[in-house]
Each structure stands twice: as structure tokens, then as C-alpha cells.
Amino acid sequence: MSGTELSDDQLLRYSRHILLNEIGVEGQQRIRAARMLVIGAGGLGSPAAFYLASAGVAAIVLVDGDAVDLTNLQRQILHTTERIGVSKALSGQHTLRAINPEVDVIPMARRVEAPDLDELVQQATIVLDCSDNFATRQAINRACVKYLKPLVSGAAIRFDGQIAVFDLRNSGSPCYACLFPPDPASDAGVDELCSTMGVFAPLTGIIGTMQAAEALKLASSVGESLQGQLLMLDALTMRWHSVRVSRDPGCPVCAKPSSA
Ligand SMILES: [Zn+2]
């Protein structure tokens, strides 16, 4: 694996990963080569990006069109009180650079839509959906299906969290829309829902951290991903439930051959 040879400093920085038989030097080199697209620098994207940066991925493209608000700081741990009003993408870049200056953090301080999203997904090794609305989730899924990119999807509201991996590189894998079919009627108002319903702060940490874990496993080809399962957490009882997710042969997104 030339091109991602690890320096002496890197062998130290990543030594606790390298010590793991399952990861080792080769796995760490694969992590070093991975370009992660993190959409949303909020409650889920914060912990996810923290661990991707500390673990030494090549690049993190951090997409968020919002600015840091006082109400974000209860859970969005990339950001600080003094950065209220600053773009979340830039605030996140600031934090991630301090953790690991080797990681190329590319902030995109805007909401990305169709053509830009396609390009970003195409360039990514793995996509992490840390967004907070249904329309964005559907758009991300469409691009991941189109370019056969693994998608690590997380969600958290109130005390309920969920995580799933959709990896269309494997034939027979479902996509996000197989599980949650696009429904224009439910697209509206989800953002407002999140701000009125509340969310338990550490729940976003649990789910976002698991998204990083799944992304790093996929990047290093270690273990088994959550592909084909939806894992749900009730944080009130701290009980997990797992549901198998099948490909929907009538899915409007993945059943058709790639639609441009
Ligand atoms: Zn599908």
C-alpha cells in the first residue's frame, strides 16, 4: 500500500489502532486514505467528525449551511460559546484541525443540493448522513445509490435514536428509500419538529459516535457493518432493537437503473 506510508509520528499517533490485530498498519493506511463526506455539523455530525478526525482519515468534507446558535451548544460539541454566529462548517473545521492537523477538513458553509451533492458524493469514500430533515436525507440517498457509495445514516429525536448502513456496492442491499419511501407530504415541517420536540444531548453523541464507528469499519474493511439492519435505541430504558431491512423491489430510487 504505497502512497499512504505512515511516518514515525503517525505510527505513534495511531498506535492504539495499529495495535488492534483487526486494523493494524494496513487498516490504518486505509483509514488514512479515506475521504469522508459528513453532511450536517450538528448533534450527530459533531461526534462523528471528532472521531473521524482523531482516527486520521485523509479528508473530511463538512457540510452545514447554518451558523452556531446558543440552542445548539447543549449537544453540538464541535462548537463553542465564543463561536456563536460563526458558520458551523468553519467552527467545525477549527475544532477538527486542533485535534488532528493532518486531516484535510474542507468546510462547505451552505446547504448542498443536486449537482453539488452529486459531485461531493462521487468524490467521497463514505458518506455520513448527519442531517436533520427528510428531504436532505432522500437527496443524499439518491446520490449514494447513483454512485454506489456506502451511506451511514443516523437520526436522533427526543430519546429515540437510530442508525443504519446502506451499502449498494453489495447487490441485494436496501437503500434508505427502501426503508423510508420518499413522501413529499412529510418533507415539510421536519426541521420545525426537531426544534419543538427536543433531543436528549448524549443520545446524539451515542448515535453520531456509532456512525463514526461504522464509517471507520467500512474504511478499514474491519468487521461486519450494520448493512441490512436498522438499529434503534430507546435512551429512556437504554434498550436497543434491531430490525432487518430488505431491499424493496418497487423502491423508486434503487429499483430503477441509475436515473440521471
Ligand atoms: Zn431502495
PDB file of all heavy atoms in Angstrom, residues 66-107:
ATOM      1  N   ASP A  66     -25.818  26.255   8.300  1.00  0.00           N
ATOM      2  CA  ASP A  66     -26.248  27.072   9.439  1.00  0.00           C
ATOM      3  C   ASP A  66     -25.067  27.682  10.188  1.00  0.00           C
ATOM      4  O   ASP A  66     -23.939  27.218  10.055  1.00  0.00           O
ATOM      5  CB  ASP A  66     -27.058  26.228  10.425  1.00  0.00           C
ATOM      6  CG  ASP A  66     -28.392  25.791   9.846  1.00  0.00           C
ATOM      7  OD1 ASP A  66     -28.879  26.454   8.906  1.00  0.00           O
ATOM      8  OD2 ASP A  66     -28.939  24.778  10.320  1.00  0.00           O
ATOM      9  N   ALA A  67     -25.393  28.676  11.009  1.00  0.00           N
ATOM     10  CA  ALA A  67     -24.417  29.267  11.930  1.00  0.00           C
ATOM     11  C   ALA A  67     -24.690  28.738  13.339  1.00  0.00           C
ATOM     12  O   ALA A  67     -25.810  28.330  13.659  1.00  0.00           O
ATOM     13  CB  ALA A  67     -24.539  30.788  11.904  1.00  0.00           C
ATOM     14  N   VAL A  68     -23.656  28.755  14.155  1.00  0.00           N
ATOM     15  CA  VAL A  68     -23.778  28.266  15.534  1.00  0.00           C
ATOM     16  C   VAL A  68     -24.741  29.170  16.309  1.00  0.00           C
ATOM     17  O   VAL A  68     -24.624  30.397  16.267  1.00  0.00           O
ATOM     18  CB  VAL A  68     -22.410  28.243  16.245  1.00  0.00           C
ATOM     19  CG1 VAL A  68     -22.563  27.770  17.683  1.00  0.00           C
ATOM     20  CG2 VAL A  68     -21.409  27.380  15.477  1.00  0.00           C
ATOM     21  N   ASP A  69     -25.687  28.512  16.986  1.00  0.00           N
ATOM     22  CA  ASP A  69     -26.704  29.215  17.766  1.00  0.00           C
ATOM     23  C   ASP A  69     -26.597  28.749  19.221  1.00  0.00           C
ATOM     24  O   ASP A  69     -26.168  27.625  19.482  1.00  0.00           O
ATOM     25  CB  ASP A  69     -28.073  28.834  17.170  1.00  0.00           C
ATOM     26  CG  ASP A  69     -29.223  29.533  17.853  1.00  0.00           C
ATOM     27  OD1 ASP A  69     -29.518  30.682  17.470  1.00  0.00           O
ATOM     28  OD2 ASP A  69     -29.833  28.941  18.770  1.00  0.00           O
ATOM     29  N   LEU A  70     -27.001  29.603  20.121  1.00  0.00           N
ATOM     30  CA  LEU A  70     -26.931  29.255  21.551  1.00  0.00           C
ATOM     31  C   LEU A  70     -27.638  27.926  21.856  1.00  0.00           C
ATOM     32  O   LEU A  70     -27.175  27.135  22.677  1.00  0.00           O
ATOM     33  CB  LEU A  70     -27.540  30.396  22.382  1.00  0.00           C
ATOM     34  CG  LEU A  70     -27.525  30.241  23.904  1.00  0.00           C
ATOM     35  CD1 LEU A  70     -26.102  30.090  24.442  1.00  0.00           C
ATOM     36  CD2 LEU A  70     -28.219  31.430  24.574  1.00  0.00           C
ATOM     37  N   THR A  71     -28.762  27.677  21.169  1.00  0.00           N
ATOM     38  CA  THR A  71     -29.533  26.451  21.437  1.00  0.00           C
ATOM     39  C   THR A  71     -28.812  25.194  20.939  1.00  0.00           C
ATOM     40  O   THR A  71     -29.205  24.090  21.279  1.00  0.00           O
ATOM     41  CB  THR A  71     -30.924  26.506  20.767  1.00  0.00           C
ATOM     42  OG1 THR A  71     -30.729  26.646  19.345  1.00  0.00           O
ATOM     43  CG2 THR A  71     -31.746  27.668  21.282  1.00  0.00           C
ATOM     44  N   ASN A  72     -27.773  25.352  20.114  1.00  0.00           N
ATOM     45  CA  ASN A  72     -27.037  24.192  19.583  1.00  0.00           C
ATOM     46  C   ASN A  72     -26.062  23.616  20.609  1.00  0.00           C
ATOM     47  O   ASN A  72     -25.699  22.449  20.555  1.00  0.00           O
ATOM     48  CB  ASN A  72     -26.197  24.579  18.365  1.00  0.00           C
ATOM     49  CG  ASN A  72     -26.988  25.128  17.209  1.00  0.00           C
ATOM     50  OD1 ASN A  72     -26.480  25.947  16.454  1.00  0.00           O
ATOM     51  ND2 ASN A  72     -28.234  24.704  17.040  1.00  0.00           N
ATOM     52  N   LEU A  73     -25.613  24.477  21.537  1.00  0.00           N
ATOM     53  CA  LEU A  73     -24.431  24.119  22.338  1.00  0.00           C
ATOM     54  C   LEU A  73     -24.698  23.026  23.372  1.00  0.00           C
ATOM     55  O   LEU A  73     -23.760  22.415  23.880  1.00  0.00           O
ATOM     56  CB  LEU A  73     -23.864  25.369  23.025  1.00  0.00           C
ATOM     57  CG  LEU A  73     -23.393  26.464  22.044  1.00  0.00           C
ATOM     58  CD1 LEU A  73     -22.934  27.683  22.817  1.00  0.00           C
ATOM     59  CD2 LEU A  73     -22.272  25.959  21.145  1.00  0.00           C
ATOM     60  N   GLN A  74     -25.962  22.739  23.630  1.00  0.00           N
ATOM     61  CA  GLN A  74     -26.334  21.661  24.561  1.00  0.00           C
ATOM     62  C   GLN A  74     -25.855  20.300  24.047  1.00  0.00           C
ATOM     63  O   GLN A  74     -25.663  19.371  24.809  1.00  0.00           O
ATOM     64  CB  GLN A  74     -27.865  21.713  24.741  1.00  0.00           C
ATOM     65  CG  GLN A  74     -28.527  20.486  25.340  1.00  0.00           C
ATOM     66  CD  GLN A  74     -29.368  19.753  24.295  1.00  0.00           C
ATOM     67  OE1 GLN A  74     -29.136  19.873  23.101  1.00  0.00           O
ATOM     68  NE2 GLN A  74     -30.350  18.986  24.778  1.00  0.00           N
ATOM     69  N   ARG A  75     -25.613  20.145  22.749  1.00  0.00           N
ATOM     70  CA  ARG A  75     -25.259  18.830  22.207  1.00  0.00           C
ATOM     71  C   ARG A  75     -24.245  18.881  21.047  1.00  0.00           C
ATOM     72  O   ARG A  75     -23.635  17.865  20.729  1.00  0.00           O
ATOM     73  CB  ARG A  75     -26.515  18.089  21.739  1.00  0.00           C
ATOM     74  CG  ARG A  75     -27.191  18.790  20.566  1.00  0.00           C
ATOM     75  CD  ARG A  75     -28.654  18.443  20.413  1.00  0.00           C
ATOM     76  NE  ARG A  75     -29.238  19.261  19.338  1.00  0.00           N
ATOM     77  CZ  ARG A  75     -29.573  20.536  19.469  1.00  0.00           C
ATOM     78  NH1 ARG A  75     -29.428  21.174  20.602  1.00  0.00           N
ATOM     79  NH2 ARG A  75     -30.068  21.204  18.440  1.00  0.00           N
ATOM     80  N   GLN A  76     -24.092  20.018  20.396  1.00  0.00           N
ATOM     81  CA  GLN A  76     -23.276  20.068  19.174  1.00  0.00           C
ATOM     82  C   GLN A  76     -21.843  20.403  19.554  1.00  0.00           C
ATOM     83  O   GLN A  76     -21.390  21.537  19.458  1.00  0.00           O
ATOM     84  CB  GLN A  76     -23.892  21.057  18.180  1.00  0.00           C
ATOM     85  CG  GLN A  76     -25.339  20.654  17.859  1.00  0.00           C
ATOM     86  CD  GLN A  76     -25.979  21.480  16.768  1.00  0.00           C
ATOM     87  OE1 GLN A  76     -25.316  22.261  16.080  1.00  0.00           O
ATOM     88  NE2 GLN A  76     -27.279  21.303  16.595  1.00  0.00           N
ATOM     89  N   ILE A  77     -21.107  19.370  19.983  1.00  0.00           N
ATOM     90  CA  ILE A  77     -19.860  19.547  20.719  1.00  0.00           C
ATOM     91  C   ILE A  77     -18.672  20.006  19.866  1.00  0.00           C
ATOM     92  O   ILE A  77     -17.598  20.236  20.400  1.00  0.00           O
ATOM     93  CB  ILE A  77     -19.502  18.270  21.507  1.00  0.00           C
ATOM     94  CG1 ILE A  77     -19.408  17.077  20.555  1.00  0.00           C
ATOM     95  CG2 ILE A  77     -20.539  18.015  22.604  1.00  0.00           C
ATOM     96  CD1 ILE A  77     -18.906  15.804  21.221  1.00  0.00           C
ATOM     97  N   LEU A  78     -18.868  20.171  18.570  1.00  0.00           N
ATOM     98  CA  LEU A  78     -17.795  20.764  17.748  1.00  0.00           C
ATOM     99  C   LEU A  78     -17.662  22.261  18.035  1.00  0.00           C
ATOM    100  O   LEU A  78     -16.637  22.861  17.745  1.00  0.00           O
ATOM    101  CB  LEU A  78     -18.104  20.615  16.250  1.00  0.00           C
ATOM    102  CG  LEU A  78     -17.702  19.360  15.503  1.00  0.00           C
ATOM    103  CD1 LEU A  78     -18.204  19.454  14.058  1.00  0.00           C
ATOM    104  CD2 LEU A  78     -16.196  19.139  15.523  1.00  0.00           C
ATOM    105  N   HIS A  79     -18.734  22.860  18.548  1.00  0.00           N
ATOM    106  CA  HIS A  79     -18.822  24.317  18.613  1.00  0.00           C
ATOM    107  C   HIS A  79     -18.667  24.826  20.044  1.00  0.00           C
ATOM    108  O   HIS A  79     -18.879  24.080  20.996  1.00  0.00           O
ATOM    109  CB  HIS A  79     -20.149  24.779  18.002  1.00  0.00           C
ATOM    110  CG  HIS A  79     -20.453  24.100  16.698  1.00  0.00           C
ATOM    111  ND1 HIS A  79     -19.602  24.179  15.619  1.00  0.00           N
ATOM    112  CD2 HIS A  79     -21.456  23.262  16.323  1.00  0.00           C
ATOM    113  CE1 HIS A  79     -20.104  23.439  14.620  1.00  0.00           C
ATOM    114  NE2 HIS A  79     -21.209  22.875  15.024  1.00  0.00           N
ATOM    115  N   THR A  80     -18.335  26.123  20.143  1.00  0.00           N
ATOM    116  CA  THR A  80     -18.098  26.719  21.453  1.00  0.00           C
ATOM    117  C   THR A  80     -18.919  27.994  21.612  1.00  0.00           C
ATOM    118  O   THR A  80     -19.393  28.560  20.617  1.00  0.00           O
ATOM    119  CB  THR A  80     -16.608  27.092  21.613  1.00  0.00           C
ATOM    120  OG1 THR A  80     -16.286  28.056  20.610  1.00  0.00           O
ATOM    121  CG2 THR A  80     -15.701  25.881  21.457  1.00  0.00           C
ATOM    122  N   THR A  81     -19.051  28.421  22.836  1.00  0.00           N
ATOM    123  CA  THR A  81     -19.843  29.627  23.134  1.00  0.00           C
ATOM    124  C   THR A  81     -19.308  30.836  22.370  1.00  0.00           C
ATOM    125  O   THR A  81     -20.082  31.625  21.825  1.00  0.00           O
ATOM    126  CB  THR A  81     -19.815  29.896  24.654  1.00  0.00           C
ATOM    127  OG1 THR A  81     -20.262  28.703  25.326  1.00  0.00           O
ATOM    128  CG2 THR A  81     -20.710  31.061  25.023  1.00  0.00           C
ATOM    129  N   GLU A  82     -17.985  30.941  22.301  1.00  0.00           N
ATOM    130  CA  GLU A  82     -17.435  32.126  21.627  1.00  0.00           C
ATOM    131  C   GLU A  82     -17.655  32.093  20.114  1.00  0.00           C
ATOM    132  O   GLU A  82     -17.484  33.114  19.449  1.00  0.00           O
ATOM    133  CB  GLU A  82     -15.951  32.304  21.961  1.00  0.00           C
ATOM    134  CG  GLU A  82     -15.065  31.221  21.387  1.00  0.00           C
ATOM    135  CD  GLU A  82     -13.573  31.491  21.637  1.00  0.00           C
ATOM    136  OE1 GLU A  82     -13.255  32.447  22.362  1.00  0.00           O
ATOM    137  OE2 GLU A  82     -12.770  30.714  21.089  1.00  0.00           O
ATOM    138  N   ARG A  83     -18.041  30.941  19.579  1.00  0.00           N
ATOM    139  CA  ARG A  83     -18.257  30.875  18.126  1.00  0.00           C
ATOM    140  C   ARG A  83     -19.747  30.961  17.747  1.00  0.00           C
ATOM    141  O   ARG A  83     -20.111  30.637  16.608  1.00  0.00           O
ATOM    142  CB  ARG A  83     -17.602  29.616  17.558  1.00  0.00           C
ATOM    143  CG  ARG A  83     -16.067  29.664  17.693  1.00  0.00           C
ATOM    144  CD  ARG A  83     -15.347  28.830  16.651  1.00  0.00           C
ATOM    145  NE  ARG A  83     -15.503  27.406  16.843  1.00  0.00           N
ATOM    146  CZ  ARG A  83     -14.633  26.619  17.485  1.00  0.00           C
ATOM    147  NH1 ARG A  83     -13.532  27.123  18.001  1.00  0.00           N
ATOM    148  NH2 ARG A  83     -14.850  25.326  17.587  1.00  0.00           N
ATOM    149  N   ILE A  84     -20.585  31.404  18.655  1.00  0.00           N
ATOM    150  CA  ILE A  84     -21.985  31.674  18.302  1.00  0.00           C
ATOM    151  C   ILE A  84     -22.001  32.693  17.167  1.00  0.00           C
ATOM    152  O   ILE A  84     -21.283  33.699  17.227  1.00  0.00           O
ATOM    153  CB  ILE A  84     -22.777  32.187  19.528  1.00  0.00           C
ATOM    154  CG1 ILE A  84     -22.990  31.033  20.523  1.00  0.00           C
ATOM    155  CG2 ILE A  84     -24.122  32.779  19.107  1.00  0.00           C
ATOM    156  CD1 ILE A  84     -23.608  31.465  21.843  1.00  0.00           C
ATOM    157  N   GLY A  85     -22.775  32.385  16.130  1.00  0.00           N
ATOM    158  CA  GLY A  85     -22.853  33.284  14.980  1.00  0.00           C
ATOM    159  C   GLY A  85     -21.919  32.900  13.848  1.00  0.00           C
ATOM    160  O   GLY A  85     -22.093  33.338  12.714  1.00  0.00           O
ATOM    161  N   VAL A  86     -20.919  32.067  14.143  1.00  0.00           N
ATOM    162  CA  VAL A  86     -19.960  31.613  13.118  1.00  0.00           C
ATOM    163  C   VAL A  86     -20.580  30.432  12.366  1.00  0.00           C
ATOM    164  O   VAL A  86     -21.347  29.655  12.933  1.00  0.00           O
ATOM    165  CB  VAL A  86     -18.631  31.177  13.795  1.00  0.00           C
ATOM    166  CG1 VAL A  86     -17.655  30.572  12.797  1.00  0.00           C
ATOM    167  CG2 VAL A  86     -18.011  32.348  14.537  1.00  0.00           C
ATOM    168  N   SER A  87     -20.246  30.294  11.105  1.00  0.00           N
ATOM    169  CA  SER A  87     -20.728  29.146  10.333  1.00  0.00           C
ATOM    170  C   SER A  87     -20.304  27.843  11.010  1.00  0.00           C
ATOM    171  O   SER A  87     -19.166  27.699  11.476  1.00  0.00           O
ATOM    172  CB  SER A  87     -20.152  29.232   8.924  1.00  0.00           C
ATOM    173  OG  SER A  87     -19.555  28.019   8.538  1.00  0.00           O
ATOM    174  N   LYS A  88     -21.233  26.887  11.071  1.00  0.00           N
ATOM    175  CA  LYS A  88     -20.927  25.609  11.721  1.00  0.00           C
ATOM    176  C   LYS A  88     -19.820  24.860  10.993  1.00  0.00           C
ATOM    177  O   LYS A  88     -19.015  24.163  11.616  1.00  0.00           O
ATOM    178  CB  LYS A  88     -22.176  24.724  11.781  1.00  0.00           C
ATOM    179  CG  LYS A  88     -23.184  25.139  12.805  1.00  0.00           C
ATOM    180  CD  LYS A  88     -24.261  24.054  12.919  1.00  0.00           C
ATOM    181  CE  LYS A  88     -25.430  24.565  13.731  1.00  0.00           C
ATOM    182  NZ  LYS A  88     -26.517  23.570  13.798  1.00  0.00           N
ATOM    183  N   ALA A  89     -19.790  24.980   9.673  1.00  0.00           N
ATOM    184  CA  ALA A  89     -18.751  24.290   8.904  1.00  0.00           C
ATOM    185  C   ALA A  89     -17.373  24.835   9.273  1.00  0.00           C
ATOM    186  O   ALA A  89     -16.417  24.074   9.471  1.00  0.00           O
ATOM    187  CB  ALA A  89     -19.017  24.436   7.407  1.00  0.00           C
ATOM    188  N   LEU A  90     -17.271  26.175   9.405  1.00  0.00           N
ATOM    189  CA  LEU A  90     -15.985  26.787   9.762  1.00  0.00           C
ATOM    190  C   LEU A  90     -15.617  26.533  11.224  1.00  0.00           C
ATOM    191  O   LEU A  90     -14.464  26.254  11.542  1.00  0.00           O
ATOM    192  CB  LEU A  90     -16.029  28.295   9.484  1.00  0.00           C
ATOM    193  CG  LEU A  90     -16.042  28.673   8.009  1.00  0.00           C
ATOM    194  CD1 LEU A  90     -16.327  30.163   7.844  1.00  0.00           C
ATOM    195  CD2 LEU A  90     -14.711  28.320   7.339  1.00  0.00           C
ATOM    196  N   SER A  91     -16.616  26.607  12.095  1.00  0.00           N
ATOM    197  CA  SER A  91     -16.383  26.322  13.507  1.00  0.00           C
ATOM    198  C   SER A  91     -15.896  24.871  13.660  1.00  0.00           C
ATOM    199  O   SER A  91     -14.954  24.598  14.417  1.00  0.00           O
ATOM    200  CB  SER A  91     -17.678  26.545  14.294  1.00  0.00           C
ATOM    201  OG  SER A  91     -17.567  25.999  15.586  1.00  0.00           O
ATOM    202  N   GLY A  92     -16.531  23.961  12.921  1.00  0.00           N
ATOM    203  CA  GLY A  92     -16.127  22.549  12.969  1.00  0.00           C
ATOM    204  C   GLY A  92     -14.709  22.363  12.459  1.00  0.00           C
ATOM    205  O   GLY A  92     -13.900  21.636  13.049  1.00  0.00           O
ATOM    206  N   GLN A  93     -14.382  23.047  11.382  1.00  0.00           N
ATOM    207  CA  GLN A  93     -13.020  22.948  10.838  1.00  0.00           C
ATOM    208  C   GLN A  93     -11.993  23.383  11.878  1.00  0.00           C
ATOM    209  O   GLN A  93     -10.953  22.739  12.057  1.00  0.00           O
ATOM    210  CB  GLN A  93     -12.903  23.839   9.592  1.00  0.00           C
ATOM    211  CG  GLN A  93     -11.521  23.800   8.968  1.00  0.00           C
ATOM    212  CD  GLN A  93     -11.327  24.893   7.917  1.00  0.00           C
ATOM    213  OE1 GLN A  93     -11.820  26.008   8.078  1.00  0.00           O
ATOM    214  NE2 GLN A  93     -10.636  24.547   6.851  1.00  0.00           N
ATOM    215  N   HIS A  94     -12.304  24.453  12.596  1.00  0.00           N
ATOM    216  CA  HIS A  94     -11.420  24.994  13.634  1.00  0.00           C
ATOM    217  C   HIS A  94     -11.138  23.926  14.702  1.00  0.00           C
ATOM    218  O   HIS A  94      -9.988  23.666  15.067  1.00  0.00           O
ATOM    219  CB  HIS A  94     -12.123  26.217  14.239  1.00  0.00           C
ATOM    220  CG  HIS A  94     -11.257  27.060  15.097  1.00  0.00           C
ATOM    221  ND1 HIS A  94     -11.104  26.805  16.444  1.00  0.00           N
ATOM    222  CD2 HIS A  94     -10.506  28.148  14.829  1.00  0.00           C
ATOM    223  CE1 HIS A  94     -10.286  27.706  16.960  1.00  0.00           C
ATOM    224  NE2 HIS A  94      -9.905  28.532  15.999  1.00  0.00           N
ATOM    225  N   THR A  95     -12.203  23.288  15.181  1.00  0.00           N
ATOM    226  CA  THR A  95     -12.054  22.257  16.223  1.00  0.00           C
ATOM    227  C   THR A  95     -11.288  21.045  15.699  1.00  0.00           C
ATOM    228  O   THR A  95     -10.376  20.536  16.363  1.00  0.00           O
ATOM    229  CB  THR A  95     -13.458  21.815  16.705  1.00  0.00           C
ATOM    230  OG1 THR A  95     -14.141  22.953  17.230  1.00  0.00           O
ATOM    231  CG2 THR A  95     -13.362  20.732  17.773  1.00  0.00           C
ATOM    232  N   LEU A  96     -11.645  20.592  14.507  1.00  0.00           N
ATOM    233  CA  LEU A  96     -11.060  19.351  13.983  1.00  0.00           C
ATOM    234  C   LEU A  96      -9.577  19.523  13.665  1.00  0.00           C
ATOM    235  O   LEU A  96      -8.779  18.611  13.871  1.00  0.00           O
ATOM    236  CB  LEU A  96     -11.834  18.885  12.736  1.00  0.00           C
ATOM    237  CG  LEU A  96     -13.310  18.546  13.001  1.00  0.00           C
ATOM    238  CD1 LEU A  96     -14.044  18.278  11.696  1.00  0.00           C
ATOM    239  CD2 LEU A  96     -13.452  17.347  13.939  1.00  0.00           C
ATOM    240  N   ARG A  97      -9.220  20.710  13.209  1.00  0.00           N
ATOM    241  CA  ARG A  97      -7.802  20.991  12.931  1.00  0.00           C
ATOM    242  C   ARG A  97      -6.970  20.934  14.202  1.00  0.00           C
ATOM    243  O   ARG A  97      -5.820  20.517  14.187  1.00  0.00           O
ATOM    244  CB  ARG A  97      -7.663  22.394  12.339  1.00  0.00           C
ATOM    245  CG  ARG A  97      -7.652  22.374  10.839  1.00  0.00           C
ATOM    246  CD  ARG A  97      -7.215  23.749  10.361  1.00  0.00           C
ATOM    247  NE  ARG A  97      -7.302  23.838   8.923  1.00  0.00           N
ATOM    248  CZ  ARG A  97      -7.454  24.977   8.269  1.00  0.00           C
ATOM    249  NH1 ARG A  97      -7.548  26.115   8.938  1.00  0.00           N
ATOM    250  NH2 ARG A  97      -7.507  24.976   6.970  1.00  0.00           N
ATOM    251  N   ALA A  98      -7.571  21.413  15.298  1.00  0.00           N
ATOM    252  CA  ALA A  98      -6.847  21.408  16.574  1.00  0.00           C
ATOM    253  C   ALA A  98      -6.623  19.970  17.052  1.00  0.00           C
ATOM    254  O   ALA A  98      -5.601  19.670  17.667  1.00  0.00           O
ATOM    255  CB  ALA A  98      -7.618  22.203  17.616  1.00  0.00           C
ATOM    256  N   ILE A  99      -7.576  19.097  16.767  1.00  0.00           N
ATOM    257  CA  ILE A  99      -7.434  17.693  17.184  1.00  0.00           C
ATOM    258  C   ILE A  99      -6.370  17.005  16.343  1.00  0.00           C
ATOM    259  O   ILE A  99      -5.504  16.303  16.859  1.00  0.00           O
ATOM    260  CB  ILE A  99      -8.769  16.935  17.022  1.00  0.00           C
ATOM    261  CG1 ILE A  99      -9.823  17.533  17.942  1.00  0.00           C
ATOM    262  CG2 ILE A  99      -8.593  15.438  17.293  1.00  0.00           C
ATOM    263  CD1 ILE A  99     -11.214  17.057  17.613  1.00  0.00           C
ATOM    264  N   ASN A 100      -6.466  17.177  15.036  1.00  0.00           N
ATOM    265  CA  ASN A 100      -5.549  16.457  14.147  1.00  0.00           C
ATOM    266  C   ASN A 100      -5.255  17.276  12.889  1.00  0.00           C
ATOM    267  O   ASN A 100      -6.009  17.244  11.916  1.00  0.00           O
ATOM    268  CB  ASN A 100      -6.153  15.102  13.756  1.00  0.00           C
ATOM    269  CG  ASN A 100      -5.145  14.208  13.066  1.00  0.00           C
ATOM    270  OD1 ASN A 100      -4.080  14.671  12.651  1.00  0.00           O
ATOM    271  ND2 ASN A 100      -5.483  12.937  12.928  1.00  0.00           N
ATOM    272  N   PRO A 101      -4.131  18.007  12.912  1.00  0.00           N
ATOM    273  CA  PRO A 101      -3.820  18.883  11.772  1.00  0.00           C
ATOM    274  C   PRO A 101      -3.501  18.120  10.486  1.00  0.00           C
ATOM    275  O   PRO A 101      -3.443  18.736   9.411  1.00  0.00           O
ATOM    276  CB  PRO A 101      -2.594  19.677  12.254  1.00  0.00           C
ATOM    277  CG  PRO A 101      -2.102  19.011  13.481  1.00  0.00           C
ATOM    278  CD  PRO A 101      -3.171  18.132  14.018  1.00  0.00           C
ATOM    279  N   GLU A 102      -3.346  16.793  10.580  1.00  0.00           N
ATOM    280  CA  GLU A 102      -3.052  16.017   9.360  1.00  0.00           C
ATOM    281  C   GLU A 102      -4.282  15.840   8.481  1.00  0.00           C
ATOM    282  O   GLU A 102      -4.165  15.478   7.318  1.00  0.00           O
ATOM    283  CB  GLU A 102      -2.608  14.597   9.739  1.00  0.00           C
ATOM    284  CG  GLU A 102      -1.398  14.542  10.591  1.00  0.00           C
ATOM    285  CD  GLU A 102      -0.898  13.125  10.772  1.00  0.00           C
ATOM    286  OE1 GLU A 102      -1.695  12.173  10.654  1.00  0.00           O
ATOM    287  OE2 GLU A 102       0.295  12.993  11.025  1.00  0.00           O
ATOM    288  N   VAL A 103      -5.453  15.992   9.082  1.00  0.00           N
ATOM    289  CA  VAL A 103      -6.683  15.738   8.329  1.00  0.00           C
ATOM    290  C   VAL A 103      -7.060  16.992   7.555  1.00  0.00           C
ATOM    291  O   VAL A 103      -7.087  18.098   8.107  1.00  0.00           O
ATOM    292  CB  VAL A 103      -7.828  15.325   9.283  1.00  0.00           C
ATOM    293  CG1 VAL A 103      -9.125  15.142   8.523  1.00  0.00           C
ATOM    294  CG2 VAL A 103      -7.447  14.050  10.023  1.00  0.00           C
ATOM    295  N   ASP A 104      -7.327  16.818   6.292  1.00  0.00           N
ATOM    296  CA  ASP A 104      -7.742  17.926   5.446  1.00  0.00           C
ATOM    297  C   ASP A 104      -9.244  18.154   5.671  1.00  0.00           C
ATOM    298  O   ASP A 104     -10.059  17.346   5.216  1.00  0.00           O
ATOM    299  CB  ASP A 104      -7.450  17.537   3.983  1.00  0.00           C
ATOM    300  CG  ASP A 104      -7.691  18.683   3.030  1.00  0.00           C
ATOM    301  OD1 ASP A 104      -7.834  19.832   3.502  1.00  0.00           O
ATOM    302  OD2 ASP A 104      -7.742  18.422   1.815  1.00  0.00           O
ATOM    303  N   VAL A 105      -9.587  19.201   6.388  1.00  0.00           N
ATOM    304  CA  VAL A 105     -11.004  19.481   6.660  1.00  0.00           C
ATOM    305  C   VAL A 105     -11.485  20.547   5.680  1.00  0.00           C
ATOM    306  O   VAL A 105     -10.928  21.650   5.635  1.00  0.00           O
ATOM    307  CB  VAL A 105     -11.225  19.949   8.112  1.00  0.00           C
ATOM    308  CG1 VAL A 105     -12.712  20.198   8.361  1.00  0.00           C
ATOM    309  CG2 VAL A 105     -10.686  18.912   9.096  1.00  0.00           C
ATOM    310  N   ILE A 106     -12.474  20.177   4.890  1.00  0.00           N
ATOM    311  CA  ILE A 106     -12.979  21.082   3.856  1.00  0.00           C
ATOM    312  C   ILE A 106     -14.377  21.545   4.265  1.00  0.00           C
ATOM    313  O   ILE A 106     -15.333  20.775   4.207  1.00  0.00           O
ATOM    314  CB  ILE A 106     -13.011  20.360   2.488  1.00  0.00           C
ATOM    315  CG1 ILE A 106     -11.599  19.890   2.130  1.00  0.00           C
ATOM    316  CG2 ILE A 106     -13.586  21.257   1.399  1.00  0.00           C
ATOM    317  CD1 ILE A 106     -11.546  18.511   1.559  1.00  0.00           C
ATOM    318  N   PRO A 107     -14.491  22.802   4.722  1.00  0.00           N
ATOM    319  CA  PRO A 107     -15.802  23.277   5.161  1.00  0.00           C
ATOM    320  C   PRO A 107     -16.655  23.720   3.985  1.00  0.00           C
ATOM    321  O   PRO A 107     -16.160  24.385   3.074  1.00  0.00           O
ATOM    322  CB  PRO A 107     -15.445  24.475   6.064  1.00  0.00           C
ATOM    323  CG  PRO A 107     -14.143  24.974   5.543  1.00  0.00           C
ATOM    324  CD  PRO A 107     -13.444  23.839   4.843  1.00  0.00           C
TER     325      PRO A 107
END
